[in-house]
Amino acid sequence: MDQHGTQGERGRSAPDGQPTLWQVPDDSATGMPFAVALLALGSAHGLGHKGLHALVREHREQLGRLWDVPDSRLADELARVKVPTARKVADEISTHRADLLATARAKADELAQHNISIIGPSALPARLAALPGAPLWLFVEGDPSALYEGPHVAVVGTRDVTPDGVRATEAAVRTLAAYPVTLVSGLANGVDAVAHRAALRDGVRNVAFLGHGIDIIFPAETADIRARIVRTGGAVASEYLPGEYYRKAQFVQRNRLQAGLADLVVAAEGRRTGGTAHTVRFAATYRRPVIGFTWPGAGDLADLIGTEPTGRLIDIFTTAGRRTLDALCRSAADSYGHTTFGLSLVERQLGREAELRALPPEDLVRLRQFLDDLLGQEDGGHAR
């Protein structure tokens, strides 16, 4: 096991049979799981996002109790919570109550079969729950522990990534890959896809936030990345109901979750008028450190980052720039109490090479000499 652990098994159970953080018990009064109550209400014609959010804010994990309210009182209850068009929505629920619940139970079973959990408002990761306008639930495919176990570093950027942007993104991921860090991005084409692929290559666990329902694959080119994220112990998360298609405003809202979960946001490439600028502004609002990359032709997103109080600019293609990012990633991992080792990637590669090659003793002697020389250089540098 390397320092990232056996990622497919992390966080799946708790000691002494206790539920994991994201497992919320059914409401004792109704026995109806939060997931079923949420899905049923989400399918009620006319309720809409505003009404559904109002009900969840009011009832939280006890949302199932709403389904025990008699038809004669349902409109008054919806009006009390300030659900728009309460009478019309109450009539809809009363008329189709059995069908809504049956469909919701079938959908909840289908999601569970596809390794999708539903996290209620009381069990959300603390960093997300504390946000202004925090999500009230999350649909999560894969291992939800990836959302809870920090640190998280968001690597984000434009869909129109340039060759230098690809290099910059890969350099950022290779830098953070030395430490027990979880990468956060948005599973879009461009920088997001490059970041996820590089993280998977380097053994880094991934979290991807979606701007649409959890059961929708978009863009189609990222389907393989998504499957690998889940297969390697990561998580794909969405606050949108199953079947909700993507809209521009939803991707903006998705960006706030990337910034909110992150301990550090790295904006690899983009323009100050593009979508990544929203992530930068959210990060500044939440007082998350933001790193921007500079190189000739990198775009003007760095100009925006340079004006933010939490912003910092580096040239990722220089030794000094890489070392700056390395120090930030290592510090983030240290702050969570992790054991950090800056040469962990070298250690893993060396172990693989040693397995594959018939190494004579003189090769190992030469390696030892190389390490001794490095130590000598470090000692000399300290002495100066």
Side-chain angles (χ1 to χ4, degrees):
M1 180 187 300
D2 62 33
Q3 67 171 324
H4 291 267
T6 305
Q7 296 181 343
E9 299 299 324
R10 288 172 23 165
R12 293 193 181 277
S13 61
D16 302 322
Q18 295 299 309
T20 47
L21 287 172
W22 55 89
Q23 292 174 331
V24 181
D26 296 346
D27 173 47
S28 58
T30 66
M32 181 183 293
F34 172 78
V36 173
L38 177 70
L39 291 167
L41 287 169
S43 299
H45 182 70
L47 180 59
H49 283 210
K50 185 176 180 180
L52 182 59
H53 280 74
L55 289 170
V56 176
R57 274 193 296 271
E58 175 70 16
H59 295 286
R60 301 181 71 80
E61 274 76 19
Q62 287 72 47
L63 190 64
R65 294 177 180 176
L66 188 69
W67 290 95
D68 284 342
V69 175
D71 291 345
S72 60
R73 291 173 41 209
L74 187 55
D76 290 340
E77 172 60 18
L78 297 183
R80 182 185 70 81
V81 181
K82 297 182 170 53
V83 171
T85 62
R87 170 59 64 183
K88 182 177 180 180
V89 174
D91 290 343
E92 166 74 10
I93 292 174
S94 298
T95 302
H96 301 288
R97 182 184 297 263
D99 288 342
L100 288 170
L101 288 173
T103 301
R105 290 189 178 98
K107 188 63 177 180
D109 289 343
E110 178 188 344
L111 293 174
Q113 291 169 9
H114 287 87
N115 193 24
I116 295 172
S117 310
I118 302 178
I119 302 174
S122 298
L124 289 167
R127 294 178 72 84
L128 295 182
L131 298 179
L136 293 175
W137 60 79
L138 284 175
F139 293 83
V140 181
E141 181 182 8
D143 188 348
S145 68
L147 293 161
Y148 297 84
E149 297 174 356
H152 296 89
V153 175
V155 179
V156 296
T158 178
R159 287 173 171 80
D160 300 319
V161 63
T162 64
D164 279 340
V166 170
R167 291 176 54 226
T169 304
E170 291 179 337
V173 175
R174 176 55 62 93
T175 301
L176 68 85
Y179 307 109
V181 168
T182 297
L183 177 131
V184 178
S185 200
L187 205 59
N189 285 328
V191 166
D192 290 12
V194 173
H196 285 305
R197 286 194 183 98
L200 290 165
R201 176 199 65 202
D202 289 338
V204 177
R205 185 162 63 173
N206 284 251
V207 166
F209 284 109
L210 306 179
H212 48 76
I214 196 73
D215 56 343
I216 295 171
I217 306 294
F218 177 82
E221 298 90 334
T222 63
D224 178 62
I225 298 174
R226 175 171 174 165
R228 291 170 62 198
I229 287 173
V230 172
R231 191 166 61 245
T232 55
V236 177
S238 174
E239 63 182 317
Y240 298 104
L241 295 173
E244 283 197 70
Y245 281 89
Y246 44 86
R247 293 184 298 161
K248 183 177 181 180
Q250 292 176 183
F251 284 112
V252 173
Q253 291 302 298
R254 178 275 310 272
N255 290 348
R256 88 190 193 287
L257 301 183
Q258 295 178 129
L261 187 63
D263 295 271
L264 172 67
V265 175
V266 177
E269 183 181 21
R271 302 201 65 82
R272 64 184 306 156
T273 56
T276 307
H278 293 293
T279 309
V280 170
R281 293 189 180 98
F282 282 127
T285 299
Y286 306 150
R287 302 197 62 79
R288 308 294 196 254
V290 185
I291 299 298
F293 293 159
T294 61
W295 71 84
D300 59 3
L301 182 62
D303 297 338
L304 172 64
I305 295 170
T307 67
E308 297 292 354
T310 61
R312 184 172 182 177
L313 302 179
I314 64 173
D315 185 345
I316 193 64
F317 296 132
T318 66
T319 299
R322 287 287 290 269
R323 286 189 170 183
T324 296
L325 182 59
D326 178 85
L328 291 168
C329 293
R330 186 166 195 157
S331 177
D334 287 339
S335 72
Y336 280 77
H338 294 304
T339 299
T340 54
F341 177 40
L343 295 177
S344 63
L345 290 174
V346 176
E347 183 182 49
R348 295 205 293 272
Q349 182 62 32
L350 181 60
R352 286 192 289 267
E353 291 289 319
E355 287 179 357
L356 294 173
R357 300 183 186 281
L359 296 176
E362 53 267 28
D363 284 3
L364 297 178
V365 170
R366 181 171 176 175
L367 175 62
R368 178 181 293 173
Q369 182 60 55
F370 175 73
L371 295 175
D372 287 343
D373 291 344
L374 282 179
L375 288 171
Q377 292 174 19
E378 288 296 310
D379 289 342
H382 294 157
R384 289 192 295 269

